[in-house]
Amino acid sequence: MQIAKKPLLSIEASAEGKGIVLSPKGPLAPLAAPIIDRINRVFADEKPILFDPDKFRSDKFGSEKFIFSTWIPPAPSLAFDRMLSAQVAALTGRNVPDQFSIAVMRACPNDCIHCSAPTRQGEILESGIVKKSIGEALDMGSYLITFDGGEPMLRKDLPDLVASVNERAVATSFTSGYHLTPELAKALKQAGLYAVRISIDSPMEEEHDRVRGRKGAFQDALSGVKNALDAGLLVDLFMVTSPHNIDHLEEAFSLASQLMVHELSFYEIVAVGRWASHEDEVLTSKDVARLERFHKEKNRSEQGPRVTALPYLLSPQMFGCFAGRRWIHVDGAGVALPCAYMPLGFGNIKEKSLREIWKDMTRYKWFRGRCSCQMRDPEFRAEHSEIIGK
């Protein structure tokens, strides 16, 4: 069946076993083939969140669609169409900010020892400014809009902000689970939120609370998961991996399975913010390879949630790091950064259009070509040591 269509390119999807295979059609098919092949490599032997081969073959989704991941829009949809267009555009050097994330709240009940944005004071971004920047991101081609913090659930107008994301993109939000009440979860679902990413630092309650700097943080995460699931939201349990929890992948998967979340995502700790002086306490290349093996092993099994190991998927061999190439993050003060973990400002959305910021960002010498996380690059860190160390 056809799941995306542009004047010169359409994408056909066919069911094969437990997954799907994408095929480009049209004049631009030869150009799109490399990125479609890369997507198919990710799809191959991996379980999606929602997929019924019989319904897929009969083209009768009803309210159900093919959902591969909380990081990817459902298919068919306009947002999924735009995602594929963004992949093709990247091949021709016309990158768009696939992902636009914005810190809508500075306040946070936690005091995490590894926080990348430890500033918890100051005015929050005005609703009009947030909505304006979201509109600009959508006009530029973004298909994934993420609300970040601090703790976004503390923002009273969060459902209204979510509702400003139209059908061109999907809206997601990070949260520690704090204040994600049943009422708020329902309001966010009604506003159009696609998924919530609920953070854990350890599958063990005592350790999670220690890292978060607050007793009760683990229980908040569990309550947030339950309330989000009850409201019909997709839930991604999000764990930042470090040398301190890399040996607990199985326990994290067991917890995610018990909670019946849709996805378990692994990121990697970055030596920035409160962790800036811990350059020796980050993942090694062997750790990343371990995450890749875990990603593939769990996704071959029908049991448990989908696993997404972002250090593997954002490696040069796959899609490469998105920072400054396909991602804009706006911090709580309005400063636009290449990603949430790279404190390198390119202007403030209160004073500069997102399009102008993107033009300057994509021209920066470090954001050319496909690479892994540059915050792990000694040369990059040396050149930006004054900024990273702040």
Side-chain angles (χ1 to χ4, degrees):
M1 67 171 293
Q2 188 177 85
I3 60 173
K5 184 178 181 180
K6 289 287 185 180
L8 299 178
L9 175 68
S10 64
I11 305 295
E12 300 288 335
S14 57
E16 290 192 8
K18 299 174 183 177
I20 68 167
V21 173
L22 304 184
S23 303
K25 306 290 183 182
L28 291 182
L31 179 63
I35 190 66
I36 297 301
D37 287 344
R38 195 175 299 132
I39 292 174
N40 280 334
R41 289 206 306 273
V42 176
F43 283 2
D45 298 323
E46 293 195 11
K47 59 189 172 197
I49 287 174
L50 175 64
F51 176 52
D52 187 326
D54 293 329
K55 288 184 179 180
F56 194 84
R57 289 190 182 94
S58 64
D59 193 15
K60 292 181 180 178
F61 280 85
S63 60
E64 296 182 348
K65 296 184 178 183
F66 169 69
I67 300 177
F68 185 72
S69 164
T70 59
W71 298 93
I72 297 176
S77 70
L78 177 57
F80 187 86
D81 190 352
R82 283 160 59 89
M83 183 204 75
L84 293 175
S85 295
Q87 312 308 314
V88 175
L91 291 176
T92 62
R94 296 181 294 106
N95 284 8
V96 302
D98 300 49
Q99 178 174 349
F100 174 70
S101 57
I102 184 165
V104 295
M105 196 71 191
R106 285 190 174 190
C108 182
N110 302 308
D111 193 25
C112 302
I113 62 176
H114 58 18
C115 184
S116 62
T119 301
R120 291 287 177 262
Q121 297 179 352
E123 296 180 2
I124 64 173
L125 293 171
E126 294 179 6
S127 176
I129 292 175
V130 174
K131 290 181 179 180
K132 178 176 179 292
S133 63
I134 289 174
E136 291 177 327
L138 291 172
D139 289 343
M140 292 166 64
S142 298
Y143 58 81
L144 177 62
I145 306 295
T146 300
F147 296 93
D148 205 344
E151 175 51 71
M153 300 302 134
L154 291 174
R155 177 125 184 183
K156 293 181 180 179
D157 65 344
L158 184 59
D160 181 54
L161 297 178
V162 168
S164 70
V165 180
N166 61 31
E167 70 278 2
R168 291 181 289 175
V170 292
T172 66
S173 181
F174 280 98
T175 177
S176 66
Y178 182 83
H179 205 256
L180 182 52
T181 62
E183 295 75 20
L184 180 55
K186 291 176 183 176
L188 291 172
K189 173 66 175 179
Q190 187 174 8
L193 192 69
Y194 182 61
V196 288
R197 307 197 191 285
I198 299 180
S199 303
I200 61 164
D201 288 302
S202 170
M204 280 75 81
E205 182 171 4
E206 184 177 346
E207 176 62 9
H208 175 85
D209 286 357
R210 182 190 73 82
V211 175
R212 293 273 151 167
R214 182 177 65 85
K215 187 174 178 59
F218 189 79
Q219 290 302 317
D220 283 339
L222 299 191
S223 295
V225 167
K226 180 182 184 303
N227 294 338
L229 290 173
D230 287 347
L233 289 164
L234 294 178
V235 178
D236 175 30
L237 203 62
F238 186 89
M239 189 167 98
V240 174
T241 48
S242 72
H244 301 278
N245 60 18
I246 190 70
D247 291 329
H248 299 296
L249 301 182
E250 285 288 354
E251 290 89 340
F253 184 79
S254 294
L255 175 63
S257 299
Q258 292 167 15
L259 295 174
M260 300 182 69
V261 300
H262 300 92
E263 191 159 16
L264 171 63
S265 291
F266 296 110
Y267 203 71
E268 61 179 307
I269 198 164
V270 179
V272 68
R274 289 179 178 166
W275 210 251
S277 61
H278 296 251
E279 287 187 65
D280 58 335
E281 293 185 72
V282 295
L283 297 188
T284 65
S285 57
K286 289 184 178 180
D287 291 329
V288 174
R290 181 176 177 180
L291 284 172
E292 177 183 348
R293 291 193 298 272
F294 192 81
H295 169 110
K296 293 179 177 178
E297 173 194 336
K298 295 304 181 184
N299 286 330
R300 292 191 187 106
S301 169
E302 293 184 5
Q303 305 303 313
R306 169 176 170 74
V307 170
T308 295
L310 292 164
Y312 155 59
L313 292 177
L314 298 180
S315 67
Q317 294 72 32
M318 296 301 289
F319 296 96
C321 179
F322 276 24
R325 298 165 180 82
R326 303 172 68 171
W327 182 7
I328 298 177
H329 175 75
V330 173
D331 70 12
V335 178
L337 313 172
C339 85
Y341 305 96
M342 186 182 288
L344 183 61
F346 283 85
N348 195 300
I349 61 171
K350 299 176 185 177
E351 306 161 353
K352 199 173 178 181
S353 75
L354 209 59
R355 194 174 293 277
E356 289 178 290
I357 289 170
W358 184 242
K359 184 181 294 184
D360 292 340
M361 191 179 290
T362 53
R363 287 176 176 175
Y364 193 57
K365 64 178 182 178
W366 284 94
F367 303 144
R368 297 171 186 168
R370 196 182 303 155
C371 70
S372 57
C373 176
Q374 285 175 304
M375 288 295 286
R376 297 179 61 188
D377 186 325
E379 291 185 20
F380 180 88
R381 294 187 68 89
E383 183 170 321
H384 304 88
S385 59
E386 292 186 6
I387 299 172
I388 293 172
K390 289 183 178 179

